[in-house]
Amino acid sequence: MRHLITEIQSLGVQVQNKITGRKSGAGPAEGRAFLINNVPVSVPIAADFVSNSPYSLQEKDPGYYLLKNGKPVSDVRVVPEPEFYGLSTEDGIAYQRIALLHGKDCLATTVLQRCIHWKQGRKCSFCATEASLAGKQTIEKKTPDQLAEVAKAARDMDGITHMVLTSGTGDPPGSEIPYLAKCARAVKTHAGIPVQVQIAPPPDLDLMDELKEAGVESLGIHIESFDMDILSKVAPVKAAIGISHYEKAWKKAVQLFGVNQVSSFIIAGLGETVSSIAWGSEFLADLGVYPFVVPLRPIPGSRFETAAPPHPDVMKPVYEAVAKILRDKGLSTQSILAGCARCGACSALSSYENNKKEDLICHSARNQSEKSQAFKIRREVFVREQGLFNVSDQDDNDPDSIHLVAKIKGKIIGTVRVYQEDKTSDHWIGGRLAVEEKFRHTRAGSNLVKEAMKRVQKKGCTVFTAHIQEKNIPFFLKLGWSPIEPVKPHFGQPHQKMQADLDLVLKDIDA
Ligand code: SF4
């Protein structure tokens, strides 16, 4: 089924005239949501490229056959138009100009339909936010009361289970966030459904606290591409924000909303390489951010309106690579409370996820509590068990280190740290590898070392060294490390300085 979803999202489906989709707007514009085995799939049906698709629909009772080159390949249902579309507010605004059904049970709206970047001629190429206003399909500013009224009706009449609040960027950027918080609070109070808010990282990241206080469950902070050359062409304002500010925003958001409740769109088909998508997905997943990879969806009114989505043969290996990253980092669409990654209709990614959880995963410590647990394991090993330090093994390198943790069934059982020799150096130093005694028979130690090698290489490291206790030298030799100094005392115990072979990062090192 996953390949079928990938193909119809890229190629589209030719449909009879009576099946219509949205004409423009954000998200899954110029398309329609189908259900395949009850999985919502948003599919292009009206763009020019769809006329070349081998896929079409044939009516049956009930539902449709999905045909490929005239032969049935699956049963599908078309998500019917929701009943709440028939209602209007007291002052005569149709509910569907306030919010729309997305996928099968998600209510979505662009709260503020104006964007400072459109006004300044710096709009993102894939965005059509203000184009929907010109077409009078929506209103410029939705009020908290309107959103609460529509959300309640959509929940009661059509079984909506969660809601997305997105917005154009305010003037100044970030000024839209308190208003989004007000809207989210109204929806939560009157409809009681989980809400995802989507924002650009504001200059003042503390504004995100207001969303948490309003009861928002999930946050989308979308970078769209990790290829900075591409990003500066298609979304110059996002490129100008810079990846390090995005990283700070994602980290703070994970602290506030939790692992798996923060996501970022990554759009495939902007001209980037597959490796940049995999690199970015791993970067996000390591932080606890869900990389929501979607094929480019050319939206009428956007600069990309005449483009075509990437070919399915491009998307399949992308999804496979990202699904593996999700598994390795312990993320899954299943625990996302609200938003696009929960809806999933614009991407085939969730159908590639193997819901069998990895028993052993490694990632950066994602919050202070995980860091404290890592320090506790180190103290147990280096102070109590080995007596290398009297009270604590923590030192001046810890504040600047990246602390990696290994988890088994969600519990931290091991750790290692890496740090740069100095701020301008490409020499990184590893150390404090510690695994709880009862888990030393697992691959936690070797996975932590491999993860550390991968991490420093991503940071531009060319020389990665560590002082290895004499008894652990064979273990590091097996992982491709080489001695670079003779064995000598270090903290009163024999150690050998060794160097990693970072060329092995891309290979599967067996140990
Ligand atoms: S994934 Fe997001 S944009 Fe796509 S249909 Fe679902 S809620 Fe809408």
Side-chain angles (χ1 to χ4, degrees):
M1 186 174 86
R2 57 193 186 162
H3 286 165
L4 182 62
I5 295 174
T6 311
E7 292 195 6
I8 60 177
Q9 282 187 329
S10 286
L11 304 173
V13 174
Q14 302 190 46
V15 298
Q16 296 89 341
N17 289 342
K18 66 179 180 180
I19 300 174
T20 55
R22 286 165 53 203
K23 292 282 175 283
S24 67
E30 203 68 279
R32 188 69 190 246
F34 296 163
L35 292 173
I36 302 182
N37 289 347
N38 210 31
V39 173
V41 187
S42 173
V43 180
I45 58 168
D48 288 348
F49 63 84
V50 176
S51 60
N52 296 320
S53 173
Y55 288 97
S56 59
L57 285 191
Q58 185 184 77
E59 201 160 0
K60 67 183 184 81
D61 191 18
Y64 293 85
Y65 290 119
L66 178 63
L67 310 178
K68 183 174 186 184
N69 296 319
K71 295 204 176 93
V73 288
S74 177
D75 288 352
V76 297
R77 282 187 292 137
V78 176
V79 175
E81 199 160 277
E83 289 188 26
F84 79 86
Y85 280 10
L87 300 183
S88 300
T89 60
E90 257 182 23
D91 47 352
I93 301 169
Y95 277 11
Q96 65 173 309
R97 295 181 70 211
I98 295 168
L100 292 170
L101 169 68
H102 280 205
K104 68 172 177 182
D105 60 1
C106 177
L107 186 66
T109 184
T110 303
V111 174
L112 300 170
Q113 208 84 35
R114 296 271 178 213
C115 176
I116 173 76
H117 306 310
W118 277 61
K119 196 164 143 197
Q120 295 177 341
R122 301 178 77 209
K123 66 181 179 182
C124 301
S125 300
F126 40 77
C127 172
T129 294
E130 293 201 9
S132 330
L133 268 181
K136 297 206 180 337
Q137 290 138 13
T138 186
I139 55 173
E140 187 171 329
K141 181 175 182 176
K142 287 82 176 175
T143 67
D145 286 348
Q146 288 168 342
L147 292 167
E149 182 179 333
V150 175
K152 192 166 175 306
R155 181 200 66 187
D156 295 343
M157 298 169 80
D158 297 289
I160 291 288
T161 61
H162 61 121
M163 185 165 188
V164 175
L165 302 179
T166 189
S167 173
T169 301
D171 182 8
S175 59
E176 71 281 12
I177 292 177
Y179 189 70
L180 287 166
K182 218 168 153 188
C183 293
R185 185 173 274 116
V187 169
K188 303 279 320 161
T189 305
H190 295 280
I193 52 175
V195 170
Q196 184 206 37
V197 170
Q198 302 181 345
I199 56 168
D204 175 8
L205 295 179
D206 288 343
L207 283 167
M208 293 195 289
D209 294 341
E210 295 191 31
L211 297 170
K212 179 67 186 170
E213 283 155 19
V216 168
E217 279 83 359
S218 304
L219 196 67
I221 304 175
H222 303 158
I223 195 164
E224 326 288 356
S225 178
F226 278 88
D227 182 322
M228 287 303 132
D229 288 340
I230 300 277
L231 194 63
S232 51
K233 284 185 199 121
V234 303
V237 285
K238 287 182 179 255
I241 289 171
I243 196 160
S244 76
H245 193 61
Y246 266 95
E247 183 179 359
K248 283 186 198 134
W250 286 318
K251 281 183 174 165
K252 179 169 170 85
V254 170
Q255 298 273 356
L256 285 172
F257 299 93
V259 169
N260 237 328
Q261 299 308 332
V262 182
S263 55
S264 170
F265 268 68
I266 300 180
I267 303 175
L270 298 174
E272 71 296 311
T273 58
V274 171
S275 62
S276 92
I277 296 178
W279 189 96
S281 298
E282 189 164 28
F283 181 90
L284 290 171
D286 188 68
L287 300 175
V289 176
Y290 187 94
F292 189 54
V293 176
V294 295
L296 171 68
R297 188 69 170 269
I299 301 176
S302 74
R303 290 191 178 129
F304 277 143
E305 65 182 349
T306 56
H311 194 273
D313 291 347
V314 172
M315 290 307 298
K316 288 172 193 171
V318 167
Y319 285 135
E320 272 153 17
V322 178
K324 179 175 184 318
I325 290 165
L326 292 173
R327 205 161 49 244
D328 290 347
K329 298 292 178 185
L331 299 184
S332 163
T333 196
Q334 286 192 330
S335 48
I336 297 173
L337 296 169
C340 287
R342 171 170 167 183
C343 163
C346 288
S347 168
L349 181 55
S350 66
S351 62
Y352 285 74
E353 281 184 33
N354 172 348
N355 291 321
K356 182 185 162 300
K357 289 200 178 114
E358 276 297 327
D359 278 346
L360 172 63
I361 62 169
C362 286
H363 56 74
S364 301
R366 289 165 173 161
N367 51 43
Q368 195 48 49
S369 151
E370 291 195 345
K371 228 183 255 183
S372 302
Q373 289 172 64
F375 289 152
K376 197 170 156 206
I377 292 171
R378 279 172 35 179
R379 192 166 55 247
E380 185 64 18
V381 172
F382 298 118
V383 178
R384 197 198 61 77
E385 188 184 323
Q386 299 184 353
L388 289 181
F389 304 91
N390 288 332
V391 181
S392 167
D393 72 311
Q394 289 182 49
D395 62 20
D396 292 347
N397 294 314
D398 279 313
D400 295 325
S401 292
I402 298 172
H403 299 274
L404 302 174
V405 295
K407 279 182 182 165
I408 288 186
K409 296 192 192 323
K411 179 184 182 299
I412 293 178
I413 52 93
T415 183
V416 69
R417 76 175 184 190
V418 295
Y419 60 91
Q420 210 170 0
E421 189 184 36
D422 66 60
K423 290 256 180 291
T424 56
S425 168
D426 56 8
H427 176 190
W428 283 67
I429 297 167
R432 301 294 199 270
L433 173 64
V435 175
E436 277 185 20
E437 201 170 356
K438 62 175 184 275
F439 294 104
R440 290 192 193 144
H441 65 284
T442 70
R443 296 171 68 89
S446 57
N447 282 13
L448 280 164
V449 175
K450 289 183 211 174
E451 189 67 28
M453 290 164 68
K454 222 195 264 182
R455 184 59 50 87
V456 296
Q457 198 195 44
K458 276 191 165 184
K459 292 278 181 188
C461 163
T462 55
V463 179
F464 184 34
T465 62
H467 283 95
I468 307 299
Q469 292 186 14
E470 197 172 26
K471 64 176 190 262
N472 293 331
I473 292 171
F475 170 78
F476 276 82
L477 287 170
K478 235 174 155 186
L479 287 166
W481 289 57
S482 309
I484 51 171
E485 284 180 10
V487 175
K488 51 188 173 190
H490 188 66
F491 294 114
Q493 297 284 336
H495 281 72
Q496 184 158 44
K497 192 170 180 184
M498 298 182 81
Q499 181 171 346
D501 178 356
L502 294 176
D503 288 342
L504 293 175
V505 166
L506 294 175
K507 299 176 191 159
D508 189 21
I509 318 159
D510 205 11

